């Protein structure tokens, strides 16, 4: 049976190790702070503070530590020859590509991954994990990775793709969440319930999502003109939102940011264009 090493027993790593143990896999675990090796649920694993020992028999090495820097540090001088390294710590696409090149040079196959769930959501049939990198190594490790999350999404052989997808999805999520929080304050200031806004957003989500989808298609096709809602018209709403925040004695960070961003587009002569054209501002061209 393949041995899987889990490197890093923080809040996420320990859950990954336990899931593999529960699924009767042959697991070795390593953590910088030795106390975490004795946690309940890890009894079935070979626990060691010696990184070489943790990796010796392992063909698959799952890493879940603070960041890429910690990964280089802990694997410094360790033989990676013939091993599949699956990096599940969070980083940028450049971090992933640089690590992929470095570990391939050291004789390993490299897969980069990004977990889109919290520890308590791991191991479900729909738990999403983005993965990218060596396709053959991915297909050989797929059964083991499915134990960690059934919703595996392989994003191609560029090691940086999983991280790009991860950060792009997080940008969407937190952008929407920040907008929601500002809207919740608007509701509250008028004696309305923030939870009603949350419910409303759920109901109209398909229409909002279609606008996102259309904008993506516009960018791909280079369609920037003939808007249904011009940048000028959208920016007017942000001016109103800034005024509303002042009138309601609320913080105006969110509409101020939106206004400043759309103003960059207006200054670049894009006022009568589609929102998709703001990609030109982001390109820094
Ligand atoms: N928690 C989540 O919901 C979640 C979700 C998706 C992705 N992730 C990613 O998973 C990774 C781990 O997150 P976590 O929540 O498990 O973090 P955590 O609970 O803070 O644990 C951090 C882990 O990294 C280790 N570590 C830190 N610096 C190190 C170093 N220099 N050398 C060796 N080991 C080092 C820690 O070891 P010690 O025990 O010795 O301190 C610990 O095992 C992060 O990249 C995070 O972004 C987490």
């Amino acid at each position: 049976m393949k041995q899987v090493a889990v490197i890093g027993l923080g809040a996420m790593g320990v859950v990954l190790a336990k899931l593999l143990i529960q699924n009767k896999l042959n697991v070795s675990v390593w953590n910088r702070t030795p106390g975490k090796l004795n946690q309940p649920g890890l009894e079935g694993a070979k626990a060691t503070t010696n990184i070489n020992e943790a990796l010796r028999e392992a063909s698959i090495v799952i890493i879940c530590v603070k960041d890429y820097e910690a990964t280089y540090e802990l694997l410094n001088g360790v033989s990676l020859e013939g091993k599949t390294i699956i990096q599940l710590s969070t980083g940028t696409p450049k971090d992933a590509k640089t690590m992929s090149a470095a570990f391939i040079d050291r004789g390993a196959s490299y897969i980069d991954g990004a977990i889109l769930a919290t520890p308590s959501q791991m191991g479900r049939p729909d738990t999403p994990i983005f993965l990218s990198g060596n396709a053959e190594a991915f297909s050989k490790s797929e059964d083991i990775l499915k134990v960690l999350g059934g919703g595996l999404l392989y994003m191609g052989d560029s090691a940086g793709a999983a991280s790009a997808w991860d950060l792009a999805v997080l940008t969407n999520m937190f952008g929407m969440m920040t907008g929601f929080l500002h809207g919740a304050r608007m509701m509250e200031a008028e004696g309305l319930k923030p939870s009603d806004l949350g419910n409303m957003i759920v109901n109209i989500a398909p229409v909002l999502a279609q606008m996102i989808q259309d904008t993506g298609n516009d960018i791909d096709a280079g369609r920037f003109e003939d808007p249904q809602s011009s940048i000028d018209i959208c920016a007017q709403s942000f001016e109103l939102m800034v005024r509303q925040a002042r009138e309601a004695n609320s913080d105006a960070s969110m509409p101020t940011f939106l206004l400043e961003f759309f103003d960059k587009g207006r200054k670049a002569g894009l006022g009568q264009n589609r929102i998709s054209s703001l990609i030109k501002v982001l390109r820094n061209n």
Side-chain angles (χ1 to χ4, degrees):
M1 201 199 325
K2 280 182 197 162
Q3 185 169 335
V4 186
V6 177
I7 306 304
L9 298 175
M12 182 57 86
V14 74
V15 172
L16 306 181
K18 285 180 190 174
L19 283 166
L20 295 168
I21 295 164
Q22 283 158 18
N23 279 270
K24 314 272 178 254
L25 284 144
N26 192 359
V27 179
S28 60
V29 290
W30 176 94
N31 193 65
R32 179 182 60 174
T33 305
K36 291 188 185 165
L37 295 168
N38 306 318
Q39 296 179 68
L42 295 179
E43 294 83 5
K46 174 179 148 190
T48 172
T49 49
N50 181 328
I51 187 74
N52 286 295
E53 210 175 295
L55 262 63
R56 189 168 299 124
E57 307 288 323
S59 53
I60 295 179
V61 180
I62 296 175
I63 300 168
C64 191
V65 292
K66 182 169 162 256
D67 55 23
Y68 285 59
E69 221 174 285
T71 307
Y72 284 118
E73 204 179 293
L74 71 92
L75 290 179
N76 187 23
V78 176
S79 169
L80 304 181
E81 190 67 44
K83 302 194 187 296
T84 293
I85 308 287
I86 304 175
Q87 170 62 289
L88 295 181
S89 317
T90 307
T92 66
K94 189 174 177 206
D95 287 337
K97 287 189 278 188
T98 306
M99 183 161 281
S100 174
F103 287 179
I104 288 170
D105 261 4
R106 289 167 64 178
S109 305
Y110 185 81
I111 300 171
D112 201 87
I115 297 170
L116 284 97
T118 59
S120 65
Q121 294 171 318
M122 297 308 294
R124 297 185 191 166
D126 60 349
T127 305
I129 308 178
F130 292 154
L131 295 138
S132 65
N134 189 311
E136 196 187 332
F138 170 74
S139 65
K140 283 188 185 158
S141 320
E142 201 172 350
D143 285 353
I144 284 167
L145 284 163
K146 276 208 168 123
V147 169
L148 309 180
L152 301 183
L153 291 156
Y154 179 69
M155 299 307 194
D157 60 9
S158 165
S163 160
W165 272 95
D166 180 39
L167 297 181
V169 168
L170 289 177
T171 303
N172 273 265
M173 188 179 89
F174 287 116
M176 189 166 69
M177 189 59 86
T178 310
F180 172 75
L181 286 167
H182 189 82
R185 170 62 197 146
M186 286 171 163
M187 298 286 285
E188 193 182 69
E190 291 303 314
L192 302 167
K193 279 167 66 185
S195 59
D196 285 345
L197 177 63
N199 294 333
M200 170 63 75
I201 297 296
V202 169
N203 289 337
I204 64 172
V207 177
L208 301 180
Q210 166 132 45
M211 292 178 199
I212 301 282
Q213 192 173 43
D214 288 349
T215 301
N217 289 334
D218 283 351
I219 295 170
D220 277 5
R223 247 188 325 265
F224 300 127
E225 292 169 2
D226 304 319
Q228 294 194 58
S229 318
S230 68
I231 286 174
D232 279 338
I233 281 293
C234 295
Q236 262 187 33
S237 335
F238 309 142
E239 283 160 4
L240 289 178
M241 289 176 206
V242 170
R243 182 153 65 83
Q244 184 278 338
R246 208 171 35 238
E247 290 166 356
N249 193 25
S250 303
D251 178 275
S253 308
M254 182 67 179
T256 303
F257 159 73
L258 292 171
L259 188 55
E260 279 173 6
F261 177 50
F262 275 58
D263 268 347
K264 285 188 186 175
R266 292 205 279 197
K267 282 186 191 126
L270 303 171
Q272 282 305 307
N273 284 14
R274 296 183 189 213
I275 286 185
S276 57
S277 68
L278 288 171
I279 195 80
K280 296 180 185 177
V281 173
L282 295 174
R283 283 175 187 153
N284 270 337
N285 292 331

